[in-house]
Amino acid sequence: MSKVIIIGGGIIGLSSAYYLHKAGHQVTILDKGKLNENCSLGNAGMIVPSHFVPLAAPGMIKQGIRWMFDSKSPFYVRPSLSPELFSWGIKFIKKANARHVNEAAVPLRDISLLSKKLYSEIADETGINFGLTGNGILAFYKTEQAAEEEAHLAEKGRELGLDMAVLNADECKALQPHLNLDVLGAVHYRCDSHIFPDALISGLNKYLKANGVEIFQDHEVTRIDRSGHKVVKVFTGKQEWTADQFVIAGGSWSPAVAKMTGINISLIPGKGYSFMVSEPENRMTIPALLTEARVAITPMNGQIRYGGTMEIGKTNNKINMNRVKGIVESVPKYFPDLHPSVPVEKDIWFGFRPASPDGLPYIGRTGKYDNLIIATGHGMMGLSLGPATGRLVSEIVSEKSTAISTSAFSPDRF
Ligand SMILES: Cc1cc2nc3c(=O)[nH]c(=O)nc-3n(C[C@H](O)[C@H](O)[C@H](O)COP(=O)(O)OP(=O)(O)OC[C@H]3O[C@@H](n4cnc5c(N)ncnc54)[C@H](O)[C@@H]3O)c2cc1C
């Protein structure tokens, strides 16, 4: 049994704690915040084996440049002289090609399917009701171009063994009879699920504490001491903490934490927004992706959560209302009867996706230390991949063979 300190209590830190504790380790989580303000709460709640294509894909650069000139667009890179952003951008450009998409597909599929299976197990084992629903996701489109791209994706998905079906407008209507639809069709990602992330995160926090995991909020790690190939101590202000093994699961702040050990992680925050609207009629039963608008809509807890945008830049607390309006205005174009109002600032949630340049997470040890594990960089898929990452972290700490290969996720790959 090892004593393990996890830095960061988002879905990745909590999932790691869950599996480490289950494997018999003594676990402490240190988090700089209140554990209710990280990226793992207000996200769209989608569990997405369908997302086997990373953000770094062909066409993304051309599309990204077009979007840069539209203040309501779903994607934006905040121009900056930051060397980190520059270096991330170069890596992203190098990976935005068909070869990378092909190489990433199997590792992404495998970790996603493992995670989906583990979500069911966690629901059974813990009794936490986090609204796990397995009726898929409908990726709606309005244009022939998107129809063609989605059909191609569905074909690739089926080759990978994923259940995905191309539907025409009538077939979409049959699946969502209470919604007025103005779409050409959709791909039904039947392999996907959705959950209510807020219930998962609060439930996991309670479950872990009740089962002996120590969780400390308002404990920002500000210094890490090491000796040779080992991390020895971490400091939260004046308090020092020792352990046998350490896990960095700091989301978008992981590069700053890793830097305290002399390790560079290429990762940039991708800011996104969401807001909730009451939906007592329950007209939407299957979550929706608006393909051209890049908006995610998820029914959860008697409400609908609307989410989207990816602003690549630094972490900051400013809300860009134009981008929120972009989300709001896209909805009636697909669902003429859904007219969410522009929310007031206090009702808008934002979070920072920890985005790696190649769209794959970092999971594993680095060559530099024998007792440090990196678990971050999950970008748009951190909620989906949480349980699988947690299990892999636990297997690495326990020096067991891992459930799936982790070589594509090596933190040393750049
Ligand atoms: C709008 C939006 C929609 C999304 N929808 C989905 C979706 O449908 N499906 C999906 O799979 N993913 C989705 N995501 C992505 C997902 O939310 C993230 O990938 C995931 O939450 C990242 O989890 P994490 O644990 O790595 O980071 P976080 O949840 O951000 O947690 C990191 C934690 O580390 C702590 N920390 C940082 N530095 C320190 C330090 N020095 N000391 C101590 N603690 C520290 C922070 O306080 C924080 O609590 C979405 C994201 C956004 C923004």
Coordinates of all heavy atoms in Angstrom, one line a residue, residues 7-13 30-33 35 38-40 42-48 219-222 249-253 257 260 270-274 307-309 349 351-354 375-376 378-385, ligand 1:
I7 N -2.9 16.1 -6.7 CA -3.0 17.6 -6.7 C -4.2 17.9 -7.7 O -4.0 17.7 -8.9 CB -1.7 18.2 -7.2 CG1 -0.6 17.8 -6.2 CG2 -1.9 19.8 -7.2 CD1 0.8 18.2 -6.6
G8 N -5.3 18.3 -7.2 CA -6.4 18.6 -8.1 C -7.6 17.7 -7.8 O -7.5 16.5 -7.9
G9 N -8.8 18.3 -7.6 CA -10.0 17.5 -7.2 C -11.1 17.7 -8.2 O -12.3 17.7 -7.9
G10 N -10.8 17.8 -9.5 CA -11.8 17.7 -10.6 C -12.1 16.2 -10.9 O -11.7 15.4 -10.1
I11 N -12.7 16.0 -12.0 CA -13.1 14.6 -12.3 C -11.9 13.7 -12.4 O -12.0 12.5 -11.9 CB -14.0 14.5 -13.6 CG1 -14.5 13.1 -13.8 CG2 -13.3 15.0 -14.8 CD1 -15.4 12.5 -12.7
I12 N -10.8 14.2 -12.8 CA -9.6 13.3 -13.0 C -9.0 13.0 -11.6 O -8.7 11.8 -11.3 CB -8.5 14.0 -13.9 CG1 -9.2 14.3 -15.3 CG2 -7.3 13.1 -14.0 CD1 -9.7 13.1 -16.1
G13 N -8.9 14.0 -10.7 CA -8.4 13.7 -9.4 C -9.4 12.8 -8.6 O -8.9 11.9 -7.9
L30 N -5.5 17.4 -2.6 CA -5.3 18.8 -2.3 C -5.8 19.6 -3.4 O -5.4 19.4 -4.6 CB -3.8 19.1 -2.1 CG -3.0 18.3 -1.1 CD1 -1.5 18.6 -1.1 CD2 -3.6 18.5 0.4
D31 N -6.7 20.6 -3.1 CA -7.2 21.4 -4.2 C -7.1 22.9 -3.8 O -7.4 23.2 -2.7 CB -8.7 21.0 -4.6 CG -9.1 21.6 -5.9 OD1 -9.3 22.8 -6.0 OD2 -9.1 20.8 -6.9
K32 N -6.8 23.7 -4.8 CA -6.7 25.1 -4.5 C -8.0 25.8 -4.3 O -8.1 26.9 -3.8 CB -5.9 25.8 -5.6 CG -6.6 26.0 -6.9 CD -5.6 26.7 -7.9 CE -6.2 26.8 -9.3 NZ -7.2 27.7 -9.5
G33 N -9.1 25.2 -4.8 CA -10.4 25.9 -4.8 C -11.4 25.3 -3.8 O -11.0 24.6 -2.9
L35 N -13.7 23.2 -4.8 CA -14.1 22.0 -5.4 C -15.5 22.1 -6.1 O -16.1 21.1 -6.5 CB -14.2 20.8 -4.4 CG -12.8 20.5 -3.9 CD1 -12.9 19.7 -2.5 CD2 -12.0 19.6 -4.9
N38 N -14.5 24.1 -10.6 CA -13.5 23.6 -11.6 C -14.3 23.3 -12.9 O -15.5 23.4 -13.0 CB -12.7 22.4 -11.1 CG -13.5 21.3 -10.6 OD1 -14.5 21.0 -11.2 ND2 -13.1 20.7 -9.5
C39 N -13.6 22.7 -13.9 CA -14.2 22.5 -15.2 C -15.2 21.3 -15.2 O -15.9 21.1 -16.1 CB -13.1 22.2 -16.2 SG -13.6 22.3 -17.9
S40 N -15.1 20.5 -14.1 CA -15.8 19.2 -14.1 C -17.3 19.3 -13.8 O -18.0 18.3 -13.8 CB -15.1 18.2 -13.2 OG -13.8 18.1 -13.6
G42 N -19.9 22.3 -14.7 CA -20.9 22.9 -15.6 C -20.8 22.4 -17.0 O -21.3 23.0 -17.9
N43 N -20.0 21.3 -17.3 CA -19.9 20.9 -18.7 C -21.1 20.2 -19.2 O -22.1 20.1 -18.5 CB -18.6 19.9 -18.7 CG -18.8 18.7 -17.9 OD1 -19.7 17.9 -18.1 ND2 -18.0 18.6 -16.9
A44 N -21.1 19.8 -20.4 CA -22.3 19.3 -21.1 C -22.7 17.8 -20.7 O -23.7 17.3 -21.1 CB -22.1 19.4 -22.6
G45 N -21.9 17.2 -19.9 CA -22.3 15.9 -19.3 C -22.3 14.7 -20.3 O -22.9 13.7 -20.1
M46 N -21.6 14.9 -21.5 CA -21.7 13.9 -22.5 C -20.6 12.8 -22.4 O -19.4 13.2 -22.2 CB -21.7 14.5 -23.9 CG -22.9 15.4 -24.2 SD -22.8 16.2 -25.8 CE -24.4 16.9 -25.9
I47 N -20.9 11.6 -22.4 CA -19.9 10.5 -22.4 C -19.8 10.0 -23.8 O -20.7 9.5 -24.4 CB -20.4 9.3 -21.5 CG1 -20.9 9.9 -20.1 CG2 -19.4 8.2 -21.3 CD1 -19.9 10.6 -19.3
V48 N -18.6 10.3 -24.4 CA -18.6 10.3 -25.9 C -17.6 9.3 -26.6 O -16.6 9.8 -27.2 CB -18.3 11.7 -26.4 CG1 -19.6 12.5 -26.3 CG2 -17.2 12.4 -25.7
H219 N -6.4 24.5 -0.6 CA -5.0 24.1 -0.3 C -4.3 24.1 -1.7 O -4.2 23.1 -2.4 CB -5.0 22.7 0.2 CG -5.1 22.7 1.7 ND1 -6.3 23.0 2.4 CD2 -4.3 22.3 2.7 CE1 -6.1 22.9 3.7 NE2 -4.9 22.5 3.9
E220 N -3.8 25.3 -2.0 CA -3.1 25.4 -3.3 C -1.6 24.9 -3.2 O -0.9 25.4 -2.3 CB -3.1 26.9 -3.8 CG -2.3 27.0 -5.1 CD -2.5 28.4 -5.7 OE1 -3.2 29.2 -5.1 OE2 -1.9 28.6 -6.8
V221 N -1.2 24.0 -4.0 CA 0.2 23.6 -4.0 C 1.0 24.7 -4.6 O 0.8 25.1 -5.8 CB 0.3 22.2 -4.7 CG1 1.8 21.8 -4.9 CG2 -0.4 21.1 -4.0
T222 N 2.0 25.2 -3.9 CA 2.8 26.3 -4.3 C 4.2 25.9 -4.5 O 5.0 26.7 -5.1 CB 2.7 27.5 -3.3 OG1 2.9 26.9 -2.0 CG2 1.3 28.1 -3.3
A249 N -3.1 16.3 -11.2 CA -4.4 16.2 -11.9 C -5.0 17.6 -11.8 O -6.2 17.8 -11.4 CB -5.3 15.2 -11.3
G250 N -4.2 18.6 -12.2 CA -4.6 20.0 -11.9 C -5.3 20.7 -13.1 O -5.4 21.9 -13.2
G251 N -5.9 19.9 -14.0 CA -6.6 20.5 -15.1 C -5.8 21.5 -15.9 O -4.6 21.3 -16.1
S252 N -6.4 22.6 -16.2 CA -5.7 23.7 -17.0 C -4.5 24.3 -16.2 O -3.7 25.0 -16.9 CB -6.7 24.8 -17.4 OG -7.5 24.3 -18.4
W253 N -4.4 24.1 -15.0 CA -3.3 24.6 -14.2 C -2.2 23.6 -14.0 O -1.2 23.9 -13.4 CB -3.8 25.1 -12.8 CG -4.9 26.1 -12.9 CD1 -4.7 27.5 -12.9 CD2 -6.3 25.9 -13.0 NE1 -5.9 28.1 -13.0 CE2 -6.9 27.2 -13.1 CE3 -7.1 24.8 -13.1 CZ2 -8.3 27.4 -13.3 CZ3 -8.5 25.0 -13.3 CH2 -9.0 26.2 -13.4
V257 N 1.8 23.6 -12.2 CA 2.2 22.6 -11.1 C 3.4 21.8 -11.5 O 4.3 21.6 -10.8 CB 1.0 21.7 -10.7 CG1 1.4 20.7 -9.6 CG2 -0.3 22.5 -10.3
M260 N 6.8 23.2 -11.2 CA 7.4 23.2 -9.9 C 8.3 22.0 -9.8 O 9.1 21.9 -8.8 CB 6.4 23.1 -8.8 CG 5.5 24.3 -8.7 SD 4.1 24.1 -7.5 CE 2.9 25.2 -8.2
G270 N -8.8 25.9 -22.8 CA -9.8 26.2 -23.8 C -11.2 26.5 -23.1 O -11.9 25.6 -22.6
K271 N -11.4 27.8 -23.0 CA -12.6 28.3 -22.2 C -13.9 28.0 -22.9 O -14.0 28.2 -24.1 CB -12.4 29.8 -22.0 CG -13.4 30.3 -21.0 CD -13.1 31.8 -20.8 CE -13.8 32.4 -19.7 NZ -13.4 33.9 -19.6
G272 N -14.9 27.5 -22.2 CA -16.2 27.3 -22.7 C -17.2 27.8 -21.7 O -16.9 28.0 -20.5
Y273 N -18.5 28.0 -22.2 CA -19.5 28.5 -21.4 C -20.7 27.5 -21.4 O -20.9 26.8 -22.3 CB -20.1 29.8 -22.0 CG -19.0 30.9 -22.0 CD1 -18.3 31.1 -23.2 CD2 -18.7 31.7 -20.9 CE1 -17.3 32.1 -23.3 CE2 -17.7 32.7 -21.0 CZ -17.0 32.9 -22.2 OH -16.1 33.9 -22.3
S274 N -21.5 27.6 -20.3 CA -22.8 26.9 -20.3 C -23.8 27.6 -19.4 O -23.4 28.5 -18.6 CB -22.6 25.5 -19.8 OG -22.5 25.4 -18.4
G307 N -24.3 24.5 -24.0 CA -22.9 24.8 -23.8 C -22.2 24.9 -25.1 O -22.6 24.4 -26.1
G308 N -21.1 25.6 -25.0 CA -20.2 25.6 -26.2 C -19.1 26.7 -26.1 O -18.8 27.2 -25.0
T309 N -18.5 26.9 -27.2 CA -17.3 27.8 -27.5 C -16.0 27.2 -26.9 O -16.0 26.5 -25.9 CB -17.4 29.2 -27.0 OG1 -17.1 29.3 -25.6 CG2 -18.8 29.8 -27.2
W349 N -22.0 29.8 -16.5 CA -20.9 29.1 -16.0 C -19.8 29.1 -17.0 O -20.1 29.1 -18.2 CB -21.4 27.6 -15.7 CG -20.2 26.7 -15.3 CD1 -19.8 26.5 -14.0 CD2 -19.4 25.9 -16.2 NE1 -18.7 25.6 -14.1 CE2 -18.5 25.2 -15.4 CE3 -19.4 25.7 -17.6 CZ2 -17.6 24.3 -15.9 CZ3 -18.4 24.8 -18.1 CH2 -17.5 24.2 -17.3
G351 N -15.8 27.3 -17.8 CA -14.7 26.3 -17.4 C -13.6 26.3 -18.4 O -13.8 26.7 -19.6
F352 N -12.5 25.8 -18.0 CA -11.3 25.8 -18.8 C -10.9 24.3 -19.2 O -10.5 23.6 -18.3 CB -10.1 26.5 -18.1 CG -10.4 27.9 -17.8 CD1 -10.8 28.3 -16.5 CD2 -10.3 28.9 -18.8 CE1 -11.2 29.6 -16.2 CE2 -10.6 30.2 -18.5 CZ -11.0 30.5 -17.2
R353 N -11.1 24.0 -20.4 CA -10.8 22.6 -20.8 C -9.2 22.5 -20.9 O -8.6 23.3 -21.6 CB -11.3 22.3 -22.2 CG -12.8 22.4 -22.4 CD -13.1 22.3 -23.8 NE -14.5 22.4 -24.2 CZ -15.1 23.6 -24.5 NH1 -14.3 24.7 -24.5 NH2 -16.3 23.7 -24.8
P354 N -8.6 21.5 -20.2 CA -7.2 21.4 -20.3 C -6.8 20.7 -21.7 O -6.8 19.5 -21.8 CB -6.8 20.5 -19.1 CG -8.1 19.8 -18.8 CD -9.3 20.5 -19.4
A375 N -1.7 13.2 -14.9 CA -3.1 12.8 -15.4 C -3.8 14.1 -15.8 O -4.6 14.7 -14.9 CB -3.8 12.0 -14.3
T376 N -3.7 14.5 -17.0 CA -4.3 15.8 -17.4 C -4.4 15.8 -18.9 O -4.1 14.9 -19.6 CB -3.5 17.0 -16.8 OG1 -4.3 18.2 -17.0 CG2 -2.2 17.1 -17.5
H378 N -7.2 16.4 -20.9 CA -8.3 15.7 -21.5 C -9.2 16.5 -22.4 O -10.1 16.0 -23.0 CB -9.1 15.0 -20.4 CG -8.4 13.9 -19.7 ND1 -7.4 14.2 -18.7 CD2 -8.5 12.6 -19.7 CE1 -6.9 13.1 -18.2 NE2 -7.5 12.1 -18.8
G379 N -8.9 17.8 -22.4 CA -9.6 18.7 -23.4 C -11.1 18.7 -23.3 O -11.7 18.8 -22.2
M380 N -11.7 18.3 -24.4 CA -13.1 18.3 -24.5 C -13.8 17.1 -24.0 O -15.0 16.9 -24.0 CB -13.5 18.4 -26.0 CG -12.9 19.5 -26.8 SD -13.6 19.6 -28.4 CE -13.0 18.1 -29.2
M381 N -12.9 16.1 -23.5 CA -13.4 14.8 -23.1 C -13.1 14.4 -21.7 O -13.2 13.2 -21.4 CB -12.9 13.8 -24.1 CG -13.3 14.0 -25.5 SD -12.7 12.8 -26.7 CE -11.0 13.3 -26.9
G382 N -12.8 15.3 -20.8 CA -12.3 15.0 -19.5 C -13.4 14.3 -18.7 O -13.1 13.3 -17.9
L383 N -14.6 14.7 -18.8 CA -15.7 14.0 -18.1 C -15.8 12.6 -18.6 O -15.9 11.6 -17.8 CB -17.0 14.8 -18.3 CG -18.1 14.1 -17.4 CD1 -18.0 14.6 -16.0 CD2 -19.5 14.4 -17.9
S384 N -15.8 12.4 -19.9 CA -16.0 11.1 -20.5 C -14.8 10.2 -20.0 O -15.1 9.0 -19.7 CB -15.8 11.1 -22.0 OG -16.9 11.8 -22.5
L385 N -13.6 10.7 -20.0 CA -12.5 9.8 -19.8 C -12.0 9.7 -18.3 O -11.0 9.1 -18.0 CB -11.3 10.3 -20.6 CG -11.6 10.5 -22.1 CD1 -10.3 10.9 -22.9 CD2 -12.1 9.1 -22.7
Ligands
LIG1 C1 -18.5 24.1 -22.0 C2 -17.8 22.8 -21.7 C3 -18.5 21.6 -22.0 C4 -17.9 20.4 -21.8 N1 -18.6 19.3 -22.1 C5 -18.0 18.1 -21.9 C6 -18.7 16.9 -22.1 O1 -19.9 16.9 -22.5 N2 -18.1 15.7 -22.0 C7 -16.8 15.6 -21.6 O2 -16.2 14.5 -21.5 N3 -16.1 16.7 -21.3 C8 -16.6 17.9 -21.4 N4 -15.9 19.1 -21.2 C9 -14.5 19.0 -20.7 C10 -14.4 18.6 -19.3 O3 -15.3 19.4 -18.5 C11 -12.9 18.7 -18.8 O4 -12.1 18.0 -19.7 C12 -12.7 18.1 -17.4 O5 -13.6 18.7 -16.5 C13 -11.3 18.3 -16.9 O6 -11.2 17.8 -15.6 P1 -9.9 17.9 -14.8 O7 -10.1 17.2 -13.5 O8 -8.7 17.6 -15.6 O9 -9.8 19.5 -14.5 P2 -10.7 20.4 -13.5 O10 -12.0 19.9 -13.4 O11 -10.5 21.8 -13.9 O12 -10.0 20.2 -12.1 C14 -8.6 20.6 -11.9 C15 -8.5 20.9 -10.4 O13 -7.2 21.2 -10.0 C16 -7.1 22.2 -9.1 N5 -5.8 22.8 -9.0 C17 -5.2 23.4 -10.0 N6 -4.0 23.9 -9.6 C18 -3.8 23.5 -8.3 C19 -2.8 23.7 -7.4 N7 -1.7 24.4 -7.6 N8 -3.0 23.1 -6.1 C20 -4.1 22.5 -5.8 N9 -5.1 22.3 -6.7 C21 -5.0 22.8 -8.0 C22 -8.2 23.1 -9.5 O14 -8.7 23.9 -8.4 C23 -9.3 22.2 -10.0 O15 -10.3 21.9 -9.0 C24 -16.5 20.3 -21.3 C25 -15.9 21.5 -21.0 C26 -16.5 22.8 -21.2 C27 -15.8 24.0 -20.8

